[in-house]
Structure formats: C-alpha cells, structure tokens
Amino acid sequence: MRVSYDWLALGAAACWAVTGLLSAPQARHLGAIAFTRWRMGLVLLMLLPVVVLNGGWQTLTLPSLGALALSGLVGIFVGDSALFGCMNRLGPRRSSVLFATHAFFSVLLGFAVFDERIGLQAVLGGTLVVGGVMMAVAMGAHKNESHALEVVRGSWWMGVALGLLAALCQALGSLIAKPVVAAGADPVAATLVRVASTCAAHLVLLWSGAAVARAQAPVTRSVVLRVGASGLVGMGLGMSLIMLALRHGDVGMVGILSSVSPVLVLPLLWWRLGRAPAAGAWWGAGLTVAGTVVVLAR
C-alpha cells in the first residue's frame, strides 16, 4: 500500500504542474488575492455536491473540522496567496523552485512533531529529487529569456520571500491535516473543509475593504472558466490526492514526492513557449527522475 500512496503524491505534483501554468495568466490578471478567492469559491461549489452525495461529511467530527479549517487557513489562504503573489513577480518557473522547498520543511516538521524517521535510501533519493528540482529551475532558463511568463516584476526579494512563505505554509497545512486524514476522514471532505475556511477568510478580507483584495481587472466569463479549471485540477484533484496520500504516508515523504512539479512543468513550458528548456533543466530533470526511482524502491 505504501507505494500506492507514493504515486498519489506524484499525481498531486502533476496536478500542480498543470495548474501552475493555467494559473499564471489569471493570477496576473486578477491579482493574487482576488484570483485565490475566486478559485476557492469555484472549487467549493464543485466539491460540495460530491461530498454530499458520497457521504464523506459523515467521516468528519467537530475537532477534525477545527483542525482542517486551521489547515486551510495556513496552507491555502496564506500559502496560496503567497504563492501566486510570488508567481506574479517571478513567473511560474522561478516560483516553482521556491515552492519546492516545502519538501525540506515537511521533512523537518514531520521529524519534529511526529518523530518521522526516513531511511538512508529515502534520504539519498529525497536529496536527489530536491537537488534535481533546484538544478532544473535554476539552470533551466536560456540567456536573455524575455517571455511574459518569465519576466520579473516588482521586488525580486519580495518574490523570494513570498515563495518561501508559501512553501512553509504548504508543509504546515499538511502537518495539521495529517492526524485527521490518518484517523479516517474522507480526503475530498477534508479538502472541502479546508477550501471552505479559506473562502470565509477571503470574504472577511474583501468585506473589510482592503484594497489588496480587490480584483485588478474585470472578471469575465472567460476568466471564470479558466480559474475554475485551475481550481478543479490543482485543488479539487491535487489537494484531495495529497490528503489521501497523507492517510498512510509520512508528511516528509509526501512532501518530497509532491515537490517534483517544477520538473513536470518543463514539457508544458516547452509546449507553451515553443522553446525547449536549456540543457541544465534536463540534467536537473534526470537527477529528479533518478531520485524518485530511489525513493519509490525504498
């Protein structure tokens, strides 16, 4: 069963790779906060009938609702807003490598809180995975890269800070949710509660009159459809896979395997930009693949 949960974490990484590319133009159009608010609202509408029909709500208790709500506030409300704020400044490629550091945070927090210990083979594989991801992104740009998806906007240091904050929040959100899903909570229902708490926080922020919460551009039907697609893949499917993987998988190992999304996004960027990634990206991808094989074979 362990291997199946490893593959669920990899499936979540694939979802995040796709949603990162789908989200970048819409997040830039609406602004990070407004984009996340619309995204969560649409995901809530999509998941609610699923949870009602499959009876997943019956697996939740009052204490678990509180823990999952907190997990959503930390991992999604703060984390996603920070991630898309980073993406607006640094583009999807650079923001992806910063977000990949959530693997390190997950391993450290899993050890500190749950006394999770991983073997030498897993350490070697995890190091190759994260190192390969870093190399793929850091060395993946061509000289004089100027496409709109890759241009740095605003403060570079602020973008880095937001990316690291997003990674830490992702790890903390998983850590908080782990005991709940391990106790048998339905993963889709758990995702729904996390999304609902995020929606509530976004509405409070919007109704407070905060300028940062307002959409920077008109919300058209086309934008809503694209935001909805991003939410369905990244949150509806990706986060549900993570919740399911955490049921029996360690926080650290799930974090390591789900961090490969920047490498999975390379062929998508190639298709989108019409230009193959630089040689360094392929070397990094090779290390990531090798590390993933080592982890899966543990």
Side-chain angles (χ1 to χ4, degrees):
M1 291 298 293
R2 181 194 68 199
V3 174
S4 67
Y5 287 98
D6 289 346
W7 284 103
L8 288 171
L10 290 173
C15 291
W16 292 344
V18 173
T19 198
L21 203 62
L22 290 174
S23 300
Q26 316 315 319
R28 189 170 293 119
H29 176 81
L30 296 175
I33 302 298
F35 170 80
T36 306
R37 182 177 65 251
W38 275 92
R39 187 176 185 236
M40 293 301 103
L42 292 170
V43 171
L44 180 63
L45 293 176
M46 288 184 276
L47 292 184
L48 185 58
V50 174
V51 173
V52 171
L53 291 174
N54 73 5
W57 58 272
Q58 298 177 5
T59 65
L60 302 176
T61 63
L62 190 58
S64 69
L65 288 173
L68 290 171
L70 178 61
S71 172
L73 290 174
V74 174
I76 306 176
F77 178 64
V78 179
D80 263 24
S81 297
L83 178 60
F84 290 113
C86 173
M87 189 179 294
N88 285 350
R89 289 168 173 81
L90 304 182
R93 185 177 58 83
R94 296 181 182 92
S95 60
S96 292
V97 74
L98 291 168
F99 187 66
T101 60
H102 75 81
F104 288 119
F105 291 126
S106 296
V107 171
L108 293 175
L109 290 171
F111 173 76
V113 178
F114 298 130
D115 196 29
E116 293 180 353
R117 300 176 184 274
I118 58 179
L120 182 60
Q121 183 175 344
V123 170
L124 173 61
T127 301
L128 289 174
V129 167
V130 179
V133 168
M134 298 291 186
M135 177 184 290
V137 179
M139 301 177 63
H142 294 280
K143 292 182 179 179
N144 302 320
E145 188 76 76
S146 60
H147 191 275
L149 286 175
E150 301 296 337
V151 172
V152 177
R153 291 178 172 84
S155 170
W156 185 83
W157 286 108
M158 178 59 72
V160 171
L162 288 171
L164 293 176
L165 175 62
L168 176 59
C169 288
Q170 166 65 22
L172 284 171
S174 296
L175 189 82
I176 297 169
K178 163 71 175 175
V180 177
V181 292
D186 178 75
V188 180
T191 300
L192 176 66
V193 176
R194 298 178 80 222
V195 169
S197 68
T198 304
C199 287
H202 272 293
L203 289 177
V204 170
L205 182 63
L206 178 65
W207 292 338
S208 72
V212 70
R214 299 171 188 162
Q216 298 177 1
V219 182
T220 65
R221 179 181 178 182
S222 175
V223 168
V224 170
L225 290 175
R226 289 185 173 93
V227 172
S230 166
L232 177 62
V233 175
M235 289 302 306
L237 181 57
M239 275 301 173
S240 294
L241 289 175
I242 284 293
M243 291 295 102
L244 187 55
L246 285 171
R247 175 170 289 177
H248 294 294
D250 290 343
V251 173
M253 293 312 304
V254 170
I256 287 172
L257 290 170
S258 63
S259 72
V260 304
S261 57
V263 169
L264 299 179
V265 84
L266 288 175
L268 298 176
L269 282 173
W270 186 356
W271 166 74
R272 181 69 179 272
L273 304 179
R275 186 179 188 183
W282 296 118
W283 282 107
L287 285 178
T288 301
V289 171
T292 301
V293 170
V294 171
V295 169
L296 292 176
R298 71 188 188 282

